[in-house]
Amino acid sequence: MNIDHNFETLDPQDWEQSKALMHKMVDDAFDYTQHIRDRKIWQEIPDNVLNTFKTNLPKDPSNAEEVYKELQDNVLPYPMGNVHPRFWAWYMGGGTISGVMGDFWASILNPNLGGGNHAAHKVEEQVINWIKEIVEFPKSASGLLVSGGSMANYSGLAVARNVKAGYDIRSEGLKENNLVFYASTEVHSCNTKAVELLGLGTKGLKKIKVNENYSINIDALKQQIKEDKANGLQPICIIGTSGTVNTGAIDDLQSIANICKQENLWFHVDGAIGAIAMLSDKIKPQLKGIQQADSVALDLHKWLHMPFEAGCVLIKDDVAHKDTFSLIPEYLAKNTRGLASGENWFSEFGLQLSRRFRALKVWMSLKEHGSERFGRMISRNVEQAYYLGELVNNNKDLELIAPIGMDIVCFRYNPGGKTLDELNAINKEIKLQIEERAIALPGYTTLNGMYCIRCAISSHRVTNEDFDALIKSVLSIGEEIIVS
Amino acid sequence: MNIDHNFETLDPQDWEQSKALMHKMVDDAFDYTQHIRDRKIWQEIPDNVLNTFKTNLPKDPSNAEEVYKELQDNVLPYPMGNVHPRFWAWYMGGGTISGVMGDFWASILNPNLGGGNHAAHKVEEQVINWIKEIVEFPKSASGLLVSGGSMANYSGLAVARNVKAGYDIRSEGLKENNLVFYASTEVHSCNTKAVELLGLGTKGLKKIKVNENYSINIDALKQQIKEDKANGLQPICIIGTSGTVNTGAIDDLQSIANICKQENLWFHVDGAIGAIAMLSDKIKPQLKGIQQADSVALDLHKWLHMPFEAGCVLIKDDVAHKDTFSLIPEYLAKNTRGLASGENWFSEFGLQLSRRFRALKVWMSLKEHGSERFGRMISRNVEQAYYLGELVNNNKDLELIAPIGMDIVCFRYNPGGKTLDELNAINKEIKLQIEERAIALPGYTTLNGMYCIRCAISSHRVTNEDFDALIKSVLSIGEEIIVS
């Protein structure tokens, strides 16, 4: 077929020129990643750059090369910082080149993982099977790759609501306003958001006090369920966390499993941070009981270092899963042959219809690195957390504020003789100056009123020397602040 | 700092070797896209390939080059087909190289768009402002890039529920089971799913009959609202569709806006397919009234051809939007300086906390191509739909089954003398054979009991000659089937 080369499309007008630009991008991107340590982990965006983000919708074309120059000048120098080894804020993965390669091909091939009979669908099925293996779920369980932990938890809780309400809540809607989920006070906020959106209201998630190690207090949980039942409420689900975002605490999943069995409740595990640590000998024993969950939420863009986004939900009862989300109108009716065939389409197991081929980066990465290497990376982070903990414990001006959970260390500078308010102000300033001087990007949180520097050590690039540098900076900046 | 080169990470062990592989991928990917016409649009996956997707979790590493070979051998030959110009099934974009470049850098930089003070956040703000310009929404409106139309609609309907319930539904949960959304019988199924998940049940979305052109019947809508109010139900929102997935019909948005004003209802537009067509002179007049919506859902991976995923929701009342989704626990508390500063974080406007930098591909593409080129691409698809419609009308053995809406053509082969069941079987077989012979990938739907071949013409690569070829195949395969 003859194609008119003046026929306007969104394809490159000059393929060779466009390809040359992409090759240049590859060189630059590899240089960027390989030498990430030499780049500033974070810096303030100056006003003249900020102003470039305020221009109106571009109506006319520009050269792709010029657009790329804008990216280099105005975006690249002002990163979030999480690719850098010294990023310990919030909880994120660092990305990988193999993940980038997978994402690149996902964008080129650009299939829609809503469903259908094509290879990408099989790749996602395989990836989900692998994740079941990791979490020791049966092959009969169902699963879905989702945007991240928030959506994974949302999906698990939605199925829990529909299964345990005791009536056809999907078609009839919430009849009584008395369904209750349970979790510890340390549960991630996305679970609260999920329960609110599911129509139960904030009050539909009861938060149970924690033990000194920040794991859920099992006795208080039992007591609350008993009281609620006596008061006419209907407990439907317990959310166990592994581990918590503040301190990396892991709930006693085995005890929660037992309660759920006894009380006929759905057992959901928010394992956004820690479920993938089933790959690590160091953490796996602490996750005992996860195998008995009805649903597990995982994040693969955290401790598996996939480029955003990659979350996963697994549901043991595949029928309940499908019954919550499947909806097939005439324009999605399936065929027995061809592209539109196949029994289980991913769109029948979640909120999304169109879905990116996010499985490909996971598939390529797990094949290239092998699961055991990921396990070793996780174990090393745990060791590094204890290394940092020792540095803190060995210095009289520093103190741990919580037990080290998994890879999370919460500590503060405390040279003595300061009030709580003063200590909070000093530590807040230390954290900000470490960031503004581009030394590192520690996180922070507040535990029992104490502001602390919180390091979530999830980088696969970080070394012990980075923590030496952190401690040195905390102490010197702390002293500067006190003197000034 | 000295890095031990034996230090195990997930980075390439040999950067030059890895970079060489990525360069090869670029050459192959450009070749793939440039010569997409020469590749089979779809083909069945043979059993020996299917079996490769059944192997267990890989524990040990493999060479990246070998993994890539598996991708080439087992994934690339069995695509969904939507990059190909002759893909007219469901409703998808075809992807673009500029979108791929944006996605590539999103994976390399790998920021988390949950929030924070970094350049990526500013890029997404700018992209959302551009989309507001396109839909003629005020600058004060809020918006969020989401996974796609399903999540965009879900988000709009969640805000509608919370604003119009008349009590603090977010904290208290659904008190009465009487809230009602309205849409036409042609509304996309994701809206039903959203209303079910929001706790209202399937019955919470009332479907109103359509006119002959498949747009919502305004009189029936008014009548239903009146009846429902008389029966103690509480109407809260009307969903207008632009356009419908079956036939591309556009509801009378101006009349819906008027009803919503009069009845104090939320006005949501499901514009997943057509809202972006505000860029096209040919469609824009038909969308009159969209400017008055309280919320609009768009898909940028449909008629803007972004690689998956890219949807967008715009909400006129930014406070209501934030009040529905914002939740800031201590570990997400903001700072006044540094990375964790900034007033509005994207995670406060949606279900996701961690979010991919999906704005970058939109930003780079709109800069490179300019909005007017996208408008021309949309207009050309509309012209092509009418071209195909003419081919159908000019042939005595073919008939249109619905009026052409936007870029969607529904027709069937009907040589005369056949029953409805026979015609349905023949047309189904024609569609499947066109697919299995890798001639094209038309879609299909059923309208008033009639199975029809449905072409959603959204490719930026398709030419009129492709439709000549389609018609030729429909007729010849149709004759073959009848003779056999």
Side-chain angles (χ1 to χ4, degrees):
Chain A
M1 184 171 182
N2 290 318
I3 293 295
D4 176 1
H5 289 287
N6 292 318
F7 184 77
E8 186 180 24
T9 75
L10 301 172
D11 282 331
Q13 288 180 280
D14 181 331
W15 284 90
E16 289 307 315
Q17 189 182 337
S18 179
K19 190 160 61 179
L21 176 61
M22 186 78 225
H23 280 302
K24 177 167 164 38
M25 287 180 174
V26 168
D27 285 336
D28 294 348
F30 270 69
D31 183 70
Y32 180 92
T33 309
Q34 187 176 359
H35 300 109
I36 191 73
R37 277 190 180 274
D38 305 333
R39 298 182 68 94
K40 283 202 173 178
I41 187 167
W42 183 86
Q43 63 179 329
E44 189 74 59
I45 312 170
D47 283 346
N48 65 318
V49 174
L50 278 178
N51 286 334
T52 66
F53 298 117
K54 289 174 184 163
T55 53
N56 286 345
L57 176 70
K59 294 194 164 45
D60 298 318
S62 304
N63 285 334
E65 289 75 10
E66 282 168 33
V67 176
Y68 179 49
K69 189 163 185 325
E70 287 186 56
L71 174 74
Q72 287 180 298
D73 291 349
N74 300 333
V75 180
L76 262 61
Y78 311 102
M80 167 160 263
N82 54 309
V83 180
H84 197 285
R86 290 191 183 172
F87 186 90
W88 308 308
W90 301 308
Y91 202 107
M92 304 186 198
T96 66
I97 290 293
S98 34
V100 169
M101 288 174 171
D103 248 350
F104 172 75
W105 277 104
S107 301
I108 287 283
L109 301 174
N110 198 33
N112 184 334
L113 272 287
N117 178 12
H118 51 114
H121 207 278
K122 307 298 170 191
V123 170
E124 182 159 342
E125 283 171 6
Q126 186 168 34
V127 165
I128 289 167
N129 281 331
W130 291 347
I131 299 169
K132 288 182 215 165
E133 278 188 66
I134 293 171
V135 184
E136 299 182 352
F137 256 42
K139 264 220 156 150
S140 59
S142 52
L144 188 74
L145 295 188
V146 295
S147 51
S150 294
M151 185 50 82
N153 283 311
Y154 176 89
S155 305
L157 303 190
V159 182
R161 182 196 72 172
N162 284 19
V163 167
K164 294 295 184 183
Y167 54 93
D168 185 359
I169 199 169
R170 179 167 178 182
S171 59
E172 298 170 32
L174 275 159
K175 281 181 174 174
E176 281 180 275
N177 193 338
N178 68 344
L179 306 179
V180 189
F181 287 81
Y182 298 86
S184 87
T185 51
E186 294 290 305
V187 70
H188 193 278
S189 58
C190 70
N191 293 286
T192 305
K193 212 185 255 196
V195 170
E196 291 170 353
L197 286 164
L198 290 168
L200 277 62
T202 319
K203 67 166 189 50
L205 175 60
K206 293 226 179 176
K207 295 192 183 171
I208 308 298
K209 71 176 180 182
V210 290
N211 302 314
E212 280 195 359
N213 69 357
Y214 292 95
S215 71
I216 193 166
N217 185 303
I218 296 291
D219 289 335
L221 172 62
K222 285 180 184 168
Q223 185 58 32
Q224 187 67 51
I225 292 170
K226 197 174 157 190
E227 276 175 33
D228 287 349
K229 284 166 78 175
N231 290 326
L233 296 179
Q234 187 182 338
I236 54 172
C237 171
I238 304 174
I239 304 166
T241 300
S242 70
T244 64
V245 64
N246 266 332
T247 70
I250 299 176
D251 287 339
D252 177 352
L253 302 180
Q254 184 59 62
S255 292
I256 295 176
N258 294 343
I259 300 173
C260 286
K261 191 174 272 178
Q262 207 170 342
E263 300 280 350
N264 190 27
L265 307 180
W266 187 275
F267 175 23
H268 176 76
V269 173
D270 176 355
I273 291 180
I276 200 71
M278 287 288 281
L279 290 170
S280 156
D281 305 340
K282 291 201 183 300
I283 301 293
K284 188 175 169 179
Q286 300 174 53
L287 296 170
K288 192 169 178 292
I290 199 171
Q291 301 86 344
Q292 292 170 61
D294 294 297
S295 51
V296 176
L298 301 97
D299 253 338
L300 313 179
H301 54 221
K302 289 192 167 78
W303 233 347
L304 212 65
H305 300 288
M306 293 300 109
F308 290 107
E309 300 164 342
C312 179
V313 62
L314 298 179
I315 311 255
K316 215 169 258 167
D317 182 345
D318 60 323
V319 176
H321 190 183
K322 196 166 174 178
D323 281 349
T324 299
F325 291 106
S326 179
L327 207 168
I328 304 199
E330 62 270 30
Y331 46 85
L332 295 176
K334 295 178 192 178
N335 275 326
T336 48
R337 287 152 46 201
L339 173 62
S341 61
E343 201 182 341
N344 289 311
W345 287 11
F346 289 119
S347 54
E348 297 181 80
F349 293 87
L351 212 153
Q352 290 184 248
L353 177 52
S354 292
R355 300 174 63 251
R356 179 175 173 82
F357 189 13
R358 48 169 77 90
L360 186 58
K361 57 190 164 197
V362 188
W363 189 79
M364 289 176 72
S365 297
L366 277 169
K367 278 181 182 272
E368 181 185 336
H369 295 292
S371 64
E372 290 181 351
R373 179 178 290 160
F374 285 100
R376 288 193 295 273
M377 297 294 97
I378 293 172
S379 293
R380 190 171 67 201
N381 286 153
V382 174
E383 286 163 10
Q384 288 169 329
Y386 284 92
Y387 177 80
L388 174 57
E390 258 184 72
L391 295 179
V392 169
N393 281 331
N394 290 342
N395 191 297
K396 67 173 178 42
D397 291 345
L398 301 173
E399 60 181 350
L400 288 178
I401 295 299
I404 294 170
M406 293 192 316
D407 56 338
I408 299 183
V409 183
C410 295
F411 70 101
R412 68 175 175 179
Y413 175 67
N414 183 356
K418 300 288 174 190
T419 66
L420 176 65
D421 283 351
E422 285 168 340
L423 285 176
N424 286 356
I426 291 166
N427 280 279
K428 194 170 182 175
E429 187 61 27
I430 292 171
K431 187 267 183 274
L432 280 171
Q433 289 202 20
I434 288 175
E435 185 175 335
E436 287 170 335
R437 296 184 197 187
I439 296 164
L441 251 167
Y444 57 100
T445 192
T446 301
L447 296 170
N448 298 318
M450 293 177 281
Y451 182 98
C452 55
I453 298 170
R454 169 187 164 279
C455 290
I457 303 169
S458 60
S459 172
H460 61 89
R461 302 180 173 107
V462 66
T463 69
N464 283 354
E465 290 166 284
D466 289 308
F467 302 106
D468 299 339
L470 170 69
I471 291 299
K472 203 176 140 195
S473 303
V474 168
L475 292 169
S476 65
I477 294 173
E479 280 162 37
E480 279 177 37
I481 293 168
I482 286 177
V483 170
S484 69
Chain B
M1 185 170 179
N2 291 317
I3 294 294
D4 175 2
H5 289 287
N6 292 319
F7 183 79
E8 186 181 25
T9 75
L10 301 172
D11 283 330
Q13 287 179 279
D14 181 331
W15 284 90
E16 289 309 313
Q17 189 183 337
S18 179
K19 191 159 61 181
L21 176 61
M22 185 80 226
H23 280 303
K24 177 167 165 38
M25 286 180 175
V26 168
D27 285 335
D28 294 346
F30 270 70
D31 182 70
Y32 180 93
T33 309
Q34 188 177 358
H35 300 109
I36 191 72
R37 276 189 180 275
D38 305 332
R39 298 182 67 92
K40 282 201 172 177
I41 187 167
W42 183 86
Q43 61 179 330
E44 189 75 57
I45 312 170
D47 283 345
N48 65 317
V49 173
L50 278 177
N51 285 334
T52 67
F53 298 118
K54 290 174 183 162
T55 53
N56 285 344
L57 175 69
K59 294 194 163 44
D60 299 317
S62 304
N63 285 335
E65 288 75 11
E66 282 168 32
V67 176
Y68 180 49
K69 186 160 186 327
E70 288 186 54
L71 174 73
Q72 287 180 298
D73 291 348
N74 300 333
V75 180
L76 261 62
Y78 312 102
M80 168 160 260
N82 54 308
V83 179
H84 196 285
R86 290 191 184 172
F87 186 91
W88 309 307
W90 300 307
Y91 201 108
M92 304 187 198
T96 66
I97 290 293
S98 35
V100 169
M101 289 173 169
D103 248 349
F104 172 75
W105 277 104
S107 301
I108 287 283
L109 301 173
N110 198 31
N112 185 332
L113 271 288
N117 178 13
H118 52 113
H121 207 278
K122 307 298 168 191
V123 170
E124 181 160 343
E125 284 172 6
Q126 185 168 34
V127 165
I128 289 166
N129 282 330
W130 291 347
I131 299 169
K132 289 181 213 165
E133 278 187 67
I134 292 171
V135 184
E136 299 183 353
F137 256 41
K139 264 221 155 145
S140 59
S142 51
L144 188 74
L145 295 188
V146 294
S147 51
S150 294
M151 185 51 82
N153 283 311
Y154 177 90
S155 305
L157 303 191
V159 182
R161 182 197 72 172
N162 283 18
V163 168
K164 294 296 185 184
Y167 55 93
D168 185 358
I169 198 169
R170 178 166 179 183
S171 58
E172 297 170 34
L174 275 159
K175 281 182 177 172
E176 283 180 274
N177 194 338
N178 68 344
L179 306 179
V180 188
F181 287 80
Y182 298 87
S184 88
T185 51
E186 293 291 306
V187 70
H188 193 278
S189 58
C190 71
N191 293 285
T192 305
K193 213 185 255 198
V195 170
E196 291 170 353
L197 286 164
L198 289 168
L200 277 63
T202 319
K203 68 167 189 48
L205 175 60
K206 292 226 178 175
K207 295 190 184 172
I208 308 299
K209 70 175 181 182
V210 291
N211 302 313
E212 280 195 0
N213 69 358
Y214 292 93
S215 71
I216 192 165
N217 185 303
I218 295 291
D219 289 334
L221 172 62
K222 284 182 185 168
Q223 185 58 31
Q224 187 66 51
I225 292 171
K226 197 175 158 190
E227 275 176 33
D228 287 348
K229 284 166 78 175
N231 290 326
L233 296 179
Q234 187 183 337
I236 56 172
C237 171
I238 305 173
I239 305 166
T241 300
S242 71
T244 63
V245 64
N246 266 332
T247 70
I250 299 175
D251 286 339
D252 178 351
L253 302 180
Q254 184 59 60
S255 292
I256 296 177
N258 294 343
I259 300 173
C260 287
K261 191 175 269 177
Q262 207 171 340
E263 300 279 350
N264 189 28
L265 306 180
W266 186 275
F267 175 23
H268 176 75
V269 173
D270 177 354
I273 291 181
I276 200 71
M278 287 289 281
L279 289 170
S280 157
D281 305 341
K282 292 202 183 297
I283 301 292
K284 188 175 168 179
Q286 301 175 51
L287 296 170
K288 190 169 178 293
I290 198 172
Q291 301 87 344
Q292 292 170 61
D294 292 297
S295 51
V296 176
L298 301 96
D299 254 337
L300 313 180
H301 54 221
K302 289 193 166 77
W303 233 347
L304 213 65
H305 300 287
M306 292 300 109
F308 290 106
E309 302 164 343
C312 179
V313 61
L314 298 178
I315 310 254
K316 216 170 255 166
D317 181 346
D318 60 323
V319 176
H321 190 182
K322 197 167 173 177
D323 281 349
T324 300
F325 291 106
S326 179
L327 207 170
I328 304 199
E330 62 271 29
Y331 46 85
L332 296 175
K334 295 178 190 174
N335 276 325
T336 48
R337 289 151 45 200
L339 172 62
S341 60
E343 202 181 340
N344 289 312
W345 287 10
F346 289 119
S347 54
E348 297 180 80
F349 293 87
L351 211 154
Q352 290 184 247
L353 176 52
S354 292
R355 300 173 64 251
R356 180 175 172 82
F357 189 14
R358 48 170 76 89
L360 186 57
K361 57 190 164 197
V362 189
W363 190 80
M364 288 176 71
S365 296
L366 277 168
K367 277 182 181 273
E368 180 184 336
H369 295 293
S371 64
E372 290 180 351
R373 178 177 291 160
F374 286 100
R376 287 193 295 273
M377 297 294 97
I378 293 171
S379 293
R380 191 172 66 202
N381 286 152
V382 174
E383 286 164 9
Q384 289 169 328
Y386 284 91
Y387 177 80
L388 174 57
E390 258 183 71
L391 295 180
V392 169
N393 281 331
N394 290 341
N395 191 298
K396 67 173 179 39
D397 291 345
L398 301 173
E399 61 181 348
L400 288 177
I401 295 298
I404 294 170
M406 296 192 313
D407 56 338
I408 299 182
V409 183
C410 294
F411 71 101
R412 67 175 176 178
Y413 175 67
N414 184 355
K418 300 287 172 189
T419 67
L420 175 64
D421 283 350
E422 286 169 340
L423 285 176
N424 286 355
I426 292 167
N427 279 278
K428 195 169 182 176
E429 188 60 28
I430 292 173
K431 185 264 182 280
L432 280 172
Q433 290 202 21
I434 289 176
E435 187 175 333
E436 287 171 335
R437 297 184 195 186
I439 295 165
L441 251 167
Y444 57 100
T445 193
T446 302
L447 297 170
N448 298 320
M450 292 177 282
Y451 183 97
C452 55
I453 297 170
R454 168 188 165 279
C455 290
I457 303 167
S458 60
S459 172
H460 60 89
R461 302 182 173 106
V462 66
T463 69
N464 282 355
E465 290 165 284
D466 289 308
F467 302 106
D468 298 340
L470 170 69
I471 291 300
K472 204 176 141 198
S473 304
V474 168
L475 292 169
S476 66
I477 295 173
E479 280 163 36
E480 281 175 36
I481 293 169
I482 286 177
V483 170
S484 67

